[in-house]
Amino acid sequence: MSDRNNPPETSGVSRRGFLKGIGVGTVAGGLLSPAGLQQAIAKNGDVLGPGEFPLTLQINGQTRKLSVEPRVTLLDALRNRLDLTGAKKVCDRGTCGACTVLVDGQPVYSCSMLAVEAEGRKITTIEGIGTPAKMNDVQKAFVKHDAQQCGFCTPGFVVASTAFVRKHPDATMEDVRRGLGGNLCRCGTYAGMLLAVVDAAKTTKGGA
Ligand code: FES
Ligand code: FES
């Protein structure tokens, strides 16, 4: 959202600083580096693929087994193979944040990470963040402040915000505005969301 006004990144938690700090852009980009990719698709000296191979992922505290080709992204594996459709496929190119999940606690664009790269790592999707009966502090604050409209970008915002408030218990409105710059809302429901995340940061106090 901060891109619209393109503010100078002079202080606080800048958009890029936040991305580097909590890993959305950095992790997504780094995981697709040639060296990382080569390592990911080779096991014990054997190159995986091009056909499907068995894969085990740790998702929301559960062990999930599936078969995928090496080219399958984590997002497609979640949505198309494991029926975890909370993470949304919008841009499919690492710019909108609708597909955000946590990998080892860090927010990642799951459209920009291969499923095979996620093996052995702890994945948390929006389905594992909370439920309607047991929402986390961010979800409660989103409801309280009527933070979003379409619901399509909401899961990514909630996942990214959950990671954000853990690291920024004293976040100001400006911190949130800059910090969540890796997630985009096309209908512009930012006012309620800013209030919600500041509220959730105070409630969470870094412990969510
Ligand atoms: S769908 Fe992944 S960043 Fe947009
Ligand atoms: S609330 Fe989802 S795009 Fe605006």
Side-chain angles (χ1 to χ4, degrees):
M1 63 183 156
S2 53
D3 271 354
R4 289 181 304 164
N5 300 321
N6 197 26
E9 298 178 352
T10 52
S11 62
V13 186
S14 71
R15 171 189 166 90
R16 287 301 162 200
F18 175 72
L19 293 177
K20 287 175 184 169
I22 67 171
V24 172
T26 304
V27 172
L31 288 166
L32 289 176
S33 68
L37 188 59
Q38 192 173 21
Q39 193 174 14
I41 62 174
K43 282 185 180 174
N44 303 323
D46 297 328
V47 175
L48 301 174
E52 293 189 354
F53 60 91
L55 188 65
T56 302
L57 297 178
Q58 300 297 325
I59 306 174
N60 301 332
Q62 295 185 329
T63 299
R64 303 292 301 267
K65 294 184 181 296
L66 63 160
S67 292
V68 291
E69 297 171 6
R71 65 185 177 88
V72 173
T73 64
L74 176 59
L75 177 62
D76 283 343
L78 292 170
R79 292 182 56 83
N80 302 335
R81 304 299 177 96
L82 299 171
D83 206 24
L84 290 167
T85 55
K88 298 294 185 275
K89 191 172 188 174
V90 177
C91 70
D92 202 23
R93 58 177 60 188
T95 57
C96 76
C99 64
T100 304
V101 301
L102 302 183
V103 176
D104 293 336
Q106 301 298 313
V108 165
Y109 294 145
S110 61
C111 70
S112 301
M113 180 180 195
L114 295 176
V116 65
E117 292 176 278
E119 191 167 37
R121 307 180 74 173
K122 189 176 163 193
I123 301 160
T124 307
T125 68
I126 185 67
E127 290 89 346
I129 291 276
T131 65
K134 194 174 179 183
M135 294 186 283
N136 78 356
D137 289 333
V138 170
Q139 291 170 314
K140 287 177 190 168
F142 269 56
V143 172
K144 176 181 168 186
H145 292 282
D146 199 14
Q148 306 257 255
Q149 289 179 343
C150 77
F152 213 72
C153 64
T154 309
F157 265 111
V158 169
V159 171
S161 298
T162 296
F164 179 80
V165 300
R166 286 174 181 163
K167 291 203 169 187
H168 301 94
D170 301 315
T172 64
M173 198 84 85
E174 180 62 15
D175 292 335
V176 177
R177 189 178 71 80
R178 289 171 172 272
L180 294 183
N183 289 70
L184 302 177
C185 163
R186 285 161 179 77
C187 53
T189 323
Y190 288 119
M193 188 186 63
L194 293 173
L195 289 171
V197 180
V198 170
D199 201 356
K202 287 197 186 93
T203 309
T204 301
K205 294 188 181 0

